[in-house]
Amino acid sequence: MGVNKRVAAIEPNAIRAFDDQTSGVADILKLTLGEPDFAVPQHVKQAAIDSIISDDSHYAPSKGSIALRKAIRHFMMDRYDLSYDVDSEIVVTLGATEGIYDTLTAFVNDGDKVLLPAPNFSMYDPTIALAGGEVVYVDTSKSDFLLTPTQLQAAIDEYGDKLTTVLLNYPANPTGVTYTAEQLAALAEVLQDTDITVIADEIYAELTYDAPHYSIAKYLPAQTVILNGVSKSHAMTGYRIGFIVGPKELIAPVATLHQFTVTSASNPAMAAAAEALGSAQGKLDSKGMREAYRERRDYLVPALRQLGFEIPQPTGAFYVFAKLPANVNQDDYEFGLDLAKRGKVAVIPGSIFNIGGEGYIRISYASSMAVLHEAVKRIGTFLENY
Ligand SMILES: Cc1ncc(COP(=O)(O)O)c(C=O)c1O
């Protein structure tokens, strides 16, 4: 049968597989998903409704409606002090997921090396393989889960021109850590005399708790494309609206690919996203969600440390990456299954996120305080009876 070899080689999503193995447990609390638990704000919903009622039903420009691209321009300028041209430097995608696919497919040639700091979000590896690239993992577990300039330089020295792309994700899934402006500037300094393209997945940019978010694009504008969207910033995962911004030389091939694969995003969803990103109320919506996540983090992290987990301080996104206490089974997959079945709390085993994740679990705090309190109680009881 004619199945593409690269597609046939893709492993089923390991997070889903783990989820399936634990979903049958009665009364389980799930802290597995990276899915905001807030409702979409009313004014944003209304924008989608208005779009439908007003017969906004024809093909939009492939790069996205002008209103949404203007809102994205405003958003990037207002929040991150970055300027992108509405006509040539912005493409609206079906979530950041399409952004990952479009950029890797548009930039990577067969046999190119793509640097991925690990542990990493599980969507990247199969997409790099589909594009014909080969992943170069850099284990960040000994450097606070951040890529260092020394590690980056070592990879450049080792792979030379074969290393064409660096994929960064900050604030990070699964670790919740992010880079300071100084750390980004130091990485940019290593990259600036190379031909390497940086794909910066900044889907959690609106969710930073201790310092403002900075983008590496500030220090490396000609070589960086940013992926973002409304999935996490406005709890709109199901609307499927993301975007890619970058210099026009990099956006042009991405726009071509997008045109041939999806034509354009859906009009009501784009109208809602324009309201979320372009309005003053939309900014306040994100702020409110950010405050709620911060409160949850500030409860959860000390509570888990009290139970014996070592945790790199999460400064963004909504994940805690917790090192298993020394007295429990250090196989994180087995520990995760055990915790689900006997402790009735589902988390994600760290090794699913590749090297550096072994011996850790990822806990999502995109859940109510009541759920988090109950989860901590259950994990405590589970460990007491271990
Ligand atoms: C790091 C990262 N990038 C991209 C995505 C996908 O975002 P979207 O739902 O906008 O496609 C996720 C979702 O969990 C994520 O964690």
Side-chain angles (χ1 to χ4, degrees):
M1 277 189 303
V3 177
N4 177 281
K5 275 190 240 150
R6 287 179 188 161
V7 176
I10 295 176
E11 304 274 348
N13 183 311
I15 294 185
R16 292 270 144 153
F18 183 79
D19 216 34
D20 289 347
Q21 270 184 289
T22 53
S23 286
V25 179
D27 185 33
I28 195 161
L29 283 184
K30 282 193 170 196
L31 304 182
T32 46
L33 289 185
E35 167 104 41
D37 58 323
F38 298 104
V40 172
Q42 188 58 35
H43 68 114
V44 174
K45 292 183 199 169
Q46 193 60 49
I49 293 167
D50 291 347
S51 157
I52 295 171
I53 300 297
S54 65
D55 287 327
D56 177 15
S57 53
H58 302 284
Y59 285 122
S62 177
K63 287 179 190 163
S65 69
I66 302 286
L68 177 52
R69 277 184 281 150
K70 282 186 173 162
I72 291 166
R73 178 182 158 72
H74 160 80
F75 173 82
M76 293 305 291
M77 193 66 159
D78 179 59
R79 309 297 204 280
Y80 314 120
D81 193 29
L82 290 166
S83 173
Y84 294 100
D85 178 60
V86 168
D87 290 327
S88 59
E89 298 186 323
I90 301 173
V91 176
V92 174
T93 55
L94 307 188
T97 301
E98 190 209 325
I100 295 166
Y101 178 85
D102 286 355
T103 50
L104 287 167
T105 308
F107 302 153
V108 174
N109 280 297
D110 280 4
D112 281 0
K113 307 280 185 194
V114 179
L115 188 152
L116 198 52
N120 62 276
F121 178 46
S122 48
M123 195 89 80
Y124 301 140
D125 324 61
T127 313
I128 292 168
L130 267 183
E134 289 165 21
V135 184
V136 173
Y137 292 106
V138 175
D139 181 353
T140 61
S141 61
K142 305 285 181 303
S143 52
D144 301 325
F145 295 104
L146 296 172
L147 178 70
T148 67
T150 311
Q151 288 170 325
L152 178 57
Q153 186 62 59
I156 293 171
D157 292 344
E158 182 169 355
Y159 297 105
D161 291 349
K162 275 278 153 212
L163 182 65
T164 61
T165 313
V166 170
L167 207 174
L168 299 178
N169 165 225
Y170 55 91
N173 177 4
T175 59
V177 302
T178 194
Y179 295 88
T180 63
E182 292 73 26
Q183 287 164 333
L184 292 170
L187 292 175
E189 204 178 314
V190 175
L191 291 162
Q192 69 191 357
D193 295 326
T194 70
D195 286 330
I196 292 171
T197 301
V198 175
I199 301 171
D201 181 344
E202 301 184 11
I203 190 75
Y204 296 102
E206 283 294 273
L207 303 178
T208 60
Y209 307 117
D210 304 317
H213 173 83
Y214 293 95
S215 175
I216 193 167
K218 197 84 200 141
Y219 310 101
L220 202 66
Q223 286 163 255
T224 305
V225 293
I226 299 175
L227 314 181
N228 202 337
V230 293
S231 297
K232 317 288 176 173
S233 62
H234 291 80
M236 291 169 67
T237 46
Y239 282 62
R240 308 308 304 134
I241 296 293
F243 59 84
I244 309 170
V245 294
K248 64 173 185 293
E249 295 74 17
L250 292 173
I251 290 299
V254 165
T256 304
L257 188 68
H258 167 79
Q259 184 162 37
F260 282 101
T261 46
V262 308
T263 303
S264 65
S266 113
N267 293 357
M270 286 198 283
E275 174 68 17
L277 296 175
S279 68
Q281 184 56 44
K283 188 172 180 175
L284 292 176
D285 298 336
S286 293
K287 186 163 179 269
M289 293 180 203
R290 177 164 57 242
E291 296 309 325
Y293 290 129
R294 188 206 315 271
E295 193 189 333
R296 295 168 187 186
R297 177 200 67 163
D298 290 349
Y299 160 68
L300 188 61
V301 172
L304 289 172
R305 283 182 180 147
Q306 195 77 44
L307 294 179
F309 292 94
E310 246 176 67
I311 299 170
Q313 182 62 15
T315 49
F318 35 58
Y319 306 108
V320 169
F321 208 53
K323 189 170 170 38
L324 298 176
N327 64 327
V328 304
N329 185 349
Q330 294 297 298
D331 182 317
D332 53 88
Y333 204 94
E334 285 173 11
F335 179 87
L337 282 180
D338 201 17
L339 177 62
K341 288 179 182 155
R342 293 196 295 125
K344 299 202 183 291
V345 178
V347 298
I348 305 284
S351 55
I352 284 182
F353 304 100
N354 294 318
I355 55 169
E358 307 87 357
Y360 285 79
I361 50 175
R362 188 194 77 175
I363 303 166
S364 164
Y365 52 90
S367 287
S368 70
M369 275 298 235
V371 167
L372 296 179
H373 278 287
E374 176 62 21
V376 166
K377 210 164 94 191
R378 289 187 190 187
I379 295 171
T381 308
F382 174 75
L383 290 175
E384 262 169 42
N385 300 329
Y386 202 78

